[in-house]
Amino acid sequence: MACRFLLLARATFLYRGRPPSSRQQRLAKRLRVLSEAHPRDGYRRIAALLRQEGWAIGKRQVQRLRRADGLRVPPTRRRLVRRGVSTGLPTKATRRGHVWTWDFVSDATVRGGALKMLTILDEHTRECHVLRPDRAMRAADVLAWLERAIQEHGAPAFLRSDNGPEFIAKEAPRWLAEHKVRTIYIEPGRPWQNGFVESFHGRFRDECLNQEMLWTLTEARVVIEDFRGEYNERRPHGKLGYQSPARFAALQRGLTPASLTEAGQTNPTQLHTNQPQD
């Protein structure tokens, strides 16, 4: 009477499924092993792996078995790409202090600790004003080092960067607006739009990070600051007529080689003596 009321066939109500065969049990076990070994692979790729092992199975059957075992790959959440609001157009640096660029480069100490290094570079003179390693850096730390660089070298007209969270945080645009520094944010996924700092990072990694074994953060700070001094004051730069960035910057300020000699600045190490202190 219940089957007649529900319009359900008595044969369907009384049906009992057959126990899985030995092949089905082996297939389910192998399917589970492959799914655990490749957690980001969907049913199509798992089916292809099973067929490579000699199993005669279709992708729909694999999909059904995976869903029954709760092995479905959860969909990846699409990240919202955050972009900073530029207050200046893409600009080529034509003088000292016209356009600065800042970015991060990452590495690690020999003991496994992370190193995150802030770089602030003058695009015209190629001077590296800041090259500061730390374990981690917040937006407040980045602004503190930028303020030290501005106190020593003067504020730039433009500041170019990517859309990193330290550069587009609320306090960063507000601080830059207060100091009348306009921002130029590159498009996401296009690091070549910030080519000056990317080129510097290539030289920095090749000539310093790949050559030194940095065991501690303190050692990294000493070695990297020595590299910054060498790069600014002694290393010839091909795009600057094989002058050091510090000497090129001094000439941009109107000092001639003769006046540099008279001032006792023939030694490039004397061009920059006020380094940021901890």
Side-chain angles (χ1 to χ4, degrees):
M1 290 178 62
C3 289
R4 191 180 306 115
F5 179 77
L6 296 173
L7 302 178
L8 178 66
R10 291 176 64 188
T12 302
F13 175 72
L14 296 174
Y15 176 78
R16 296 293 179 267
R18 297 177 181 177
S21 64
S22 60
R23 177 187 180 278
Q24 291 174 331
Q25 291 177 357
R26 288 186 286 111
L27 173 61
K29 183 178 180 180
R30 186 57 186 162
L31 177 64
R32 203 172 296 111
V33 170
L34 287 176
S35 298
E36 292 174 354
H38 307 278
R40 294 303 304 171
D41 286 356
Y43 68 91
R44 292 181 177 86
R45 192 166 298 172
I46 296 297
L49 292 175
L50 287 171
R51 287 194 291 268
Q52 290 176 8
E53 296 179 0
W55 293 90
I57 190 170
K59 61 181 182 181
R60 296 301 177 188
Q61 185 180 1
V62 173
Q63 183 185 34
R64 177 175 55 80
L65 292 174
R66 280 168 55 88
R67 286 182 174 178
D69 284 348
L71 298 173
R72 180 172 176 267
V73 178
T76 303
R77 292 185 58 186
R78 297 190 63 180
R79 296 180 59 186
L80 179 64
V81 179
R82 299 176 60 197
R83 299 185 60 176
V85 179
S86 297
T87 56
L89 297 174
T91 304
K92 182 179 179 179
T94 58
R95 64 183 185 277
R96 177 178 176 270
H98 187 194
V99 182
W100 286 7
T101 177
W102 57 352
D103 200 0
F104 285 105
V105 59
S106 299
D107 205 79
T109 56
V110 177
R111 295 177 178 176
L115 285 178
K116 189 172 185 179
M117 289 155 278
L118 171 67
T119 303
I120 300 179
L121 197 74
D122 188 309
E123 291 190 358
H124 184 66
T125 65
R126 310 303 203 275
E127 287 180 289
C128 180
H129 296 325
V130 174
L131 187 57
R132 176 67 177 184
D134 215 325
R135 295 300 186 190
M137 277 198 177
R138 302 169 301 171
D141 302 324
V142 172
L143 292 177
W145 280 97
L146 176 61
E147 186 172 9
R148 294 187 184 189
I150 289 176
Q151 289 174 355
E152 183 177 357
H153 303 282
F158 298 91
L159 193 58
R160 195 189 316 272
S161 71
D162 59 21
N163 292 271
E166 300 87 357
F167 304 138
I168 63 176
K170 291 182 179 179
E171 56 266 32
R174 187 185 308 117
W175 190 93
L176 293 171
E178 291 175 355
H179 289 75
K180 296 181 172 55
V181 178
R182 286 178 283 181
T183 55
I184 303 173
Y185 293 101
I186 66 173
E187 297 180 32
R190 298 192 177 186
W192 57 87
Q193 294 182 355
N194 203 5
F196 289 97
V197 74
E198 295 294 338
S199 176
F200 173 79
H201 285 166
R203 292 181 175 87
F204 172 47
R205 189 171 294 280
D206 182 53
E207 299 175 13
C208 181
L209 296 179
N210 292 347
Q211 304 297 325
E212 302 285 348
M213 297 183 66
L214 305 175
W215 289 86
T216 64
L217 177 60
T218 302
E219 181 184 8
R221 288 175 175 172
V222 172
V223 170
I224 290 171
E225 184 61 25
D226 287 345
F227 170 82
R228 189 179 79 90
E230 177 74 22
Y231 175 87
N232 281 341
E233 299 161 356
R234 286 177 288 277
R235 185 186 182 279
H237 200 296
K239 293 296 184 180
L240 304 178
Y242 291 95
Q243 302 178 89
S244 68
R247 187 173 183 84
F248 180 79
L251 296 176
Q252 291 290 302
R253 294 198 299 270
L255 299 177
T256 63
S259 62
L260 290 175
T261 304
E262 294 173 359
Q265 292 184 346
T266 52
N267 183 357
T269 59
Q270 298 177 6
L271 290 176
H272 282 288
T273 58
N274 297 325
Q275 302 294 341
Q277 301 296 321
D278 292 340

